Amino acid sequence: KTNEPLVWRSDDEIGTMVKEYNQMLFKLSESKSELEQTQRELAWREIAQQVAHEIKNPLTPMKLTLQQLERQLQAGTTSLDRTEKAVSSLLTQVDTLNDIASSFSSFAKMPEPVMMPLDLTVLLRRIVELHLRSGTIKLKISDDNFNVIGDEQLLGRTFSNIILNAFQSAVPGRSANVIISLTKKEGTCLLSFTDNGKGIEPDVAERVFLPHFTTKKSGSGLGLAIAKQAIEQMQGKIWFETTVGKGTTFYIEMTIGQNVV
């Protein structure tokens, strides 16, 4: 809420105080506008740096591959097998660039969620089925009736992203396990994703949901930012708890909606 200037028509001590208050209010408003502008500029600079960094990663091996192919052509030592491998490598890097562009485009043009009744149990089981080969997933559902109002596609992407992050946080030499729990709590459903991975360091935890942050060697750093935006658009909440060396649990809370028809 914005603070409104006060009106006091008498030229007395209270009038002097009101005048000083209004002047401070005006200066505060100016400072707030300047701060918001600075924050926007800083955010865009950081995102631009991240875009440049992510694009540069696949460009380097592409350049090396082309240089190697050029030397082979000049020396006349190229072969069909080498050419096919070079082309395959280039196509892989092109796909990586395309994924990066798609991720940033998805975040910049995040569509309004298509809200409709859906069965969270059915959606969750389907997403889990897609990731069974990645590691061990244990699914705990306390009830068969978890009907919510939300965007099925955005929720599916969010669940997949959290599951993938859980497996990618695995400790070397330790079997990656993810426990997914779905329970009801006072008119809401609470979904938790618990892994036994590395956990999140304190200095990293506060930046997890930033749209340009990632601890991975590859990736746009937008997965959790998109997930947070999607859940909040559906009037839900997302947060996490973590213990370094033991693992992390991501929570999603949504209001139980009408019956799915």
Side-chain angles (χ1 to χ4, degrees), residues 53-64:
H53 173 73
E54 297 298 339
I55 290 176
K56 188 176 180 180
N57 283 339
L59 284 179
T60 300
M62 289 177 73
K63 182 178 180 180
L64 293 174

Side-chain angles (χ1 to χ4, degrees), residues 46-60 97 100 104 212 214 216-220:
E46 291 179 342
I47 291 176
Q49 290 174 354
Q50 182 67 20
V51 172
H53 173 73
E54 297 298 339
I55 290 176
K56 188 176 180 180
N57 283 339
L59 284 179
T60 300
L97 284 171
I100 292 170
F104 278 95
H212 57 279
T214 179
K216 303 173 186 177
K217 293 182 180 179
S218 63
S220 63

